[in-house]
Amino acid sequence: MIFLKKAFIVSGVFISSIIGAGFASGNEILFYFSKFGKFGLFGILLTVMLFCVLQYLILSQSNAMGTTNFDEYLNNIMGKYPAVFISVCAYTFMVFIFSAMLSGFGEMIAMLYGIDKLWPVLFMLACCYFILIKGYNFFVKSESLLSVLIVASIIFAGFYILLFRESSVAAVKLPQSWFTSSVSYVSYNILTLSSVLCLMGKETNKKSALFSSAITFSVLFILMIIFWYILCIYSGMISLGAIPMLTICYRQSNWLGIIYSCAIFLAMLTTAITNCYVLSQKLNIYIKKPLCDLLIIVSAFFLSALDFTFIVDKLYRFVGVISVFLIFAVIRKNFFVNFENFKKNIEKLRKQEKNKDI
């Protein structure tokens, strides 16, 4: 049952890294799926399938290559110069995601409770730094545990809203490009998630990778369907604001809003930690550990002064276009590996036939 435990841990880290500010707030689900009405269901199905396939491929490929290094993995699946370009984009994007989580949490607390944005930002930085200095094992365990709390909170809030919501109207909208919307959503997420999967790939065999992908599919599909349905009901009926799910939760009751604001904090924290940890691993090659951790924390602190909406609306879309090349490279690598294995098996069968004839 060791492989099953590894599968749950890998899936926990993967899911907790996806469910950041945009996902937990409902903003991403509204923009990428709910706005397409019923056709958003196809987008959700495509998105979840792409996530679990890419999760399995990256884990199994990095395991076969025997590398936990994201840069080495990129060099193995694409040419040198494309690998450098994607690597630079990925690590730069991680810095902005980290700062976006800080900025988003600061703005949320300032909006809800009137506390100066500086203090929640410093609190999240302290949490990140504490987990960062504890090392790989603590990082993996904390991400897995927090993912359970996040998923449980989201499901609880979702079902509460569905059971006790106000009178609603069904949202049926004209189909738009749900396909490109889904691919874009997967693209900008997988750019940073692939680096985490590479770290965990060395300890994950094909069986664990397959089971973890199945767990990811099940959990993400349930969460996204709940969000999609709730946001389809409320979209156009009320003003959802910058944090749609939190707005809806507070309409139900204050205590549900407080619980869900905690869930959003945990979602932001896990995403911030993931990007912070991967950046630390990269910089540690060039700078000693205490200094590189401090450099990341200080850089993110200053960047958190940027407007959260600007980072999410502008930067995420741009990176989504670039990251399509990474998805293509991962799938192409798997195709070539399978083709080479097929050729080897054919050659092996031919040799066996020749030996029989002799």
Side-chain angles (χ1 to χ4, degrees):
M1 297 296 287
I2 295 175
F3 78 92
L4 197 57
K5 181 182 176 182
K6 285 182 178 178
F8 273 104
I9 290 172
V10 171
S11 186
V13 174
F14 189 78
I15 291 168
S16 65
S17 301
I18 293 174
I19 306 176
F23 188 105
S25 68
N27 226 322
E28 288 179 338
I29 305 300
L30 180 63
F31 179 81
Y32 287 97
F33 307 103
S34 293
K35 75 174 186 179
F36 301 114
K38 292 179 180 179
F39 291 89
L41 279 172
F42 297 107
I44 288 172
L45 184 60
L46 175 63
T47 296
V48 177
M49 286 176 64
L50 278 173
F51 270 135
C52 71
V53 168
L54 289 169
Q55 179 183 339
Y56 172 76
L57 290 179
I58 294 169
L59 283 170
S60 55
Q61 286 172 4
S62 58
N63 179 267
M65 296 169 190
T67 177
T68 59
N69 187 293
F70 182 52
D71 296 305
E72 287 179 14
Y73 173 74
L74 290 176
N75 283 327
N76 281 320
I77 66 170
M78 59 179 72
K80 180 183 176 182
Y81 294 110
V84 171
F85 176 70
I86 293 295
S87 177
V88 170
C89 289
Y91 289 116
T92 304
F93 189 43
M94 286 176 204
V95 175
F96 280 102
I97 291 178
F98 185 20
S99 60
M101 296 305 107
L102 296 171
S103 177
F105 179 59
E107 289 177 17
M108 183 181 77
I109 296 300
M111 179 185 70
L112 294 176
Y113 307 110
I115 300 171
D116 191 283
K117 180 181 175 180
L118 174 67
W119 302 112
V121 167
L122 289 175
F123 175 70
M124 183 177 277
L125 277 173
C127 293
C128 291
Y129 187 71
F130 174 75
I131 294 173
L132 193 63
I133 60 176
K134 289 289 184 178
Y136 175 77
N137 289 331
F138 192 79
F139 158 71
V140 170
K141 288 177 183 177
S142 61
E143 289 280 283
S144 300
L145 176 62
L146 289 173
S147 70
V148 174
L149 295 175
I150 295 165
V151 170
S153 300
I154 290 174
I155 290 175
F156 172 76
F159 276 101
Y160 184 94
I161 292 167
L162 291 173
L163 289 171
F164 301 107
R165 60 183 168 83
E166 312 106 303
S167 297
S168 59
V169 292
V172 180
K173 302 183 181 181
L174 293 173
Q176 298 178 45
S177 186
W178 58 267
F179 179 83
T180 54
S181 186
S182 301
V183 173
S184 176
Y185 180 69
V186 173
S187 294
Y188 78 72
N189 274 288
I190 206 67
L191 183 63
T192 53
L193 290 170
S194 54
S195 59
V196 183
L197 292 173
C198 287
L199 287 174
M200 306 183 76
K202 196 172 183 179
E203 301 174 359
T204 310
N205 56 33
K206 284 193 173 183
K207 196 173 183 181
S208 298
L210 185 62
F211 270 83
S212 70
S213 298
I215 295 165
T216 298
F217 181 93
S218 304
V219 174
L220 281 183
F221 187 72
I222 292 169
L223 294 182
M224 293 176 81
I225 287 293
I226 291 171
F227 275 15
W228 167 82
Y229 185 67
I230 291 171
L231 292 169
C232 275
I233 289 171
Y234 281 89
S235 179
M237 193 175 78
I238 64 168
S239 177
L240 293 173
I243 314 176
M245 283 301 296
L246 192 59
T247 301
I248 296 168
C249 284
Y250 267 108
R251 285 179 67 90
Q252 310 302 312
S253 65
N254 283 334
W255 68 265
L256 185 64
I258 292 169
I259 289 174
Y260 200 77
S261 63
C262 292
I264 292 177
F265 163 68
L266 292 178
M268 290 177 170
L269 179 63
T270 52
T271 302
I273 291 167
T274 299
N275 290 279
C276 184
Y277 185 83
V278 175
L279 283 167
S280 176
Q281 292 293 105
K282 174 66 176 178
L283 280 182
N284 197 30
I285 300 172
Y286 311 103
I287 307 170
K288 289 184 178 179
K289 185 70 174 170
L291 183 59
C292 81
D293 292 347
L294 189 62
L295 182 61
I296 292 166
I297 294 295
V298 172
S299 300
F301 172 72
F302 283 109
L303 284 171
S304 67
L306 291 173
D307 180 57
F308 172 67
T309 306
F310 167 78
I311 297 173
V312 174
D313 286 353
K314 307 299 180 186
L315 192 63
Y316 279 32
R317 294 181 199 178
F318 174 71
V319 172
V321 176
I322 295 172
S323 304
V324 171
F325 294 104
L326 175 60
I327 294 176
F328 175 74
V330 172
I331 295 172
R332 186 186 65 173
K333 177 67 177 179
N334 187 69
F335 172 79
F336 280 125
V337 168
N338 288 335
F339 183 69
E340 288 298 319
N341 289 336
F342 176 74
K343 283 172 63 179
K344 287 178 182 178
N345 288 332
I346 293 295
E347 288 298 321
K348 190 176 179 181
L349 287 171
R350 284 177 178 173
K351 287 179 181 179
Q352 287 176 352
E353 289 296 324
K354 284 182 179 179
N355 290 334
K356 284 181 181 178
D357 292 339
I358 292 171

